[in-house]
Amino acid sequence: MLPWKQVWGAFCLIVILGALSLSPVQCRTSNFQAVSDYQAINCRKHTALLTDFGAVGDGKTSNTKAFNSAIQHLSKFASDGGAQLIVPAGKWLTGSFNLTSHFTLFLHKDAVILGSQGDGRGRDAPGGRRSALIYGTNLTDVVITGNNGTIDGQGPNWWKRFRKGELNVTRPYLIEILYSDQIQISDLTLIDSPSWFVHPIYSSNILVKGLTILAPIDSPNTDGVDPDSCQNMRIEDVYIVSGDDCIAVKSGWDQYGIAVGIPTEHLIIKRLTCISPDSAVIALGSEMSGGIRDVRALDITAINSESGVRIKTAPGRGAYVKDIFVKGMVMKTMKYVYWMSGAYNQHPDDKYDPNALPEIKNINYMDMVAENVTMAGQLAGIDRDPFTGICISNVTIGLAPKPKKLQWNCTDIQGVTSNVSPKPCALLPSKGDDQGCPFPEDRLPIEDLKLKTCSLKTFYP
Ligand SMILES: *[C@@H]1O[C@H](CO)[C@@H](O)[C@H](O)[C@H]1NC(C)=O
Ligand SMILES: *[C@@H]1O[C@H](CO)[C@@H](O)[C@H](O)[C@H]1NC(C)=O
Ligand SMILES: *[C@@H]1O[C@H](CO)[C@@H](O)[C@H](O)[C@H]1NC(C)=O
Ligand SMILES: *[C@@H]1O[C@H](CO)[C@@H](O)[C@H](O)[C@H]1NC(C)=O
Ligand SMILES: *[C@@H]1O[C@H](CO)[C@@H](O)[C@H](O)[C@H]1NC(C)=O
Ligand SMILES: *[C@@H]1O[C@H](CO)[C@@H](O)[C@H](O)[C@H]1NC(C)=O
Ligand SMILES: *[C@@H]1O[C@H](CO)[C@@H](O)[C@H](O)[C@H]1NC(C)=O
């Protein structure tokens, strides 16, 4: 524990509401600047500026040490009301850094965190993966937010080296949180991740809100948000342009995922807008070997995307994708509205069990309108293992000038439809025009999570 004096000297602390006075020597009152209030799962008692740890926001100086030492110092306040680290306006180049518990990383609206190309820490051995730019493990109560400040992964150089086969490590993700509870990632612009953008794994009670996620539509593996073996998660008001799936729900791969056996469940996605010409708006799988269940998606907008909702699986995956509910989706310029692939035969190695068949059931899609669609449904189950309980209702699909002749191609599936045009395949017979599909009536606990208004008044250097 640092002595108090040293703490006050090292950080420039805060006056909440201007009501408290603080030891006048340390703080530079001349440039007092109220940043703004913000909404978070928890507010913090202590505050520091990144610049108090020697950071330089010129876009060239590496600030890896500043981030790590700032967070290491602030971790000491975890049991005393927590702490927030403010990233001021400027361009802050950094390698990977680790978050801590009861902690908020707040980005000023003109702050840009730039992921460095070289000084990332972590598992650099071949076959390993670089640590994510912003990394957290075994944490409780962490907020990454801002006034729409930016985190830029500087992906182009990584993508170039990846395409040329020059990389001997797997590209890092932008934000990765493992084994953690109570996470908020909100009100930020995330651009050009080297690989996936936001990857919570083995975590629970997660709020992802108000993100703008941007990567070129031809960039490799730039998934937007990947809930992976996570429980009770809410994604809302997110705008994603990506070269890969906008949201990819996962839970482990083949025998490795089966052994861990942690599902993604109780996930709600609301007000997502997605542009992803080569991938899905919402993908379920292909890694789903811990199971995926109780996913609810509402008010989704898709523009120029390959598929609306896609289920990807294969023999060897085991587990299940079940109790999926998607309601209210507007789509414009799509290759497929619905796509299910039971032969997504990518495996980590050849040790998977071909008899580990996934159970795909109770999949519900309702209240959708699509325009300029090439093919309504490409729905392929697995021959020994049909996908069952598919329900599609109140869906109007307008076709592209040159649509596929066969609009619904169905094999090894079973289900019903109502009020769907064009007319679905024989394996999805109509159950009458006024019969909808089920949608849960209860609310998920994460839907009732209330945010607090946190005051952020600080002294700028
Ligand atoms: C970050 O956390 C990882 C995993 O616990 C650890 O290996 C790494 O050394 C940590 N890095 C720093 C800078 O503390
Ligand atoms: C994090 O938690 C997991 C699961 O409880 C545990 O296996 C792992 O050892 C923990 N890691 C650290 C760095 O504490
Ligand atoms: C955040 O910034 C992005 C990129 O400049 C912009 O497109 C988006 O509209 C902004 N969001 C908000 C809420 O201001
Ligand atoms: C990986 O590549 C980098 C740069 O291309 C090189 O410096 C490093 O030695 C390589 N590491 C291994 C383990 O091959
Ligand atoms: C059908 O879906 C549209 C949205 O596409 C919605 O406005 C309408 O209320 C739905 N009709 C019924 C009967 O649910
Ligand atoms: C319709 O989709 C085609 C691709 O299938 C695209 O080239 C065209 O621009 C789209 N038309 C409109 C009006 O969006
Ligand atoms: C229909 O789906 C089956 C099974 O996936 C596939 O083999 C076939 O090529 C598809 N036919 C068309 C016309 O898309």
Side-chain angles (χ1 to χ4, degrees), residues 124-126 130 161 166-169:
D124 283 358
R130 277 289 169 85
R161 286 152 67 205
E166 280 175 12
L167 290 175
N168 54 16
V169 290

Side-chain angles (χ1 to χ4, degrees), residues 145-214:
T145 190
N147 198 354
N148 205 15
T150 301
I151 303 173
D152 178 350
Q154 303 210 82
N157 195 39
W158 286 101
W159 307 329
K160 198 171 79 195
R161 286 152 67 205
F162 170 72
R163 288 189 179 111
K164 286 189 183 158
E166 280 175 12
L167 290 175
N168 54 16
V169 290
T170 303
R171 288 164 289 154
Y173 303 144
L174 199 68
I175 300 175
E176 183 170 55
I177 313 277
L178 290 82
Y179 301 112
S180 296
D181 185 44
Q182 300 176 54
I183 306 300
Q184 172 182 339
I185 303 170
S186 65
D187 304 305
L188 295 168
T189 296
L190 310 180
I191 65 180
D192 292 350
S193 177
S195 179
W196 301 353
F197 276 87
V198 177
H199 183 222
I201 174 165
Y202 311 133
S203 294
S204 52
N205 300 307
I206 305 160
L207 175 64
V208 169
K209 182 178 164 65
L211 298 184
T212 302
I213 296 181
L214 306 171

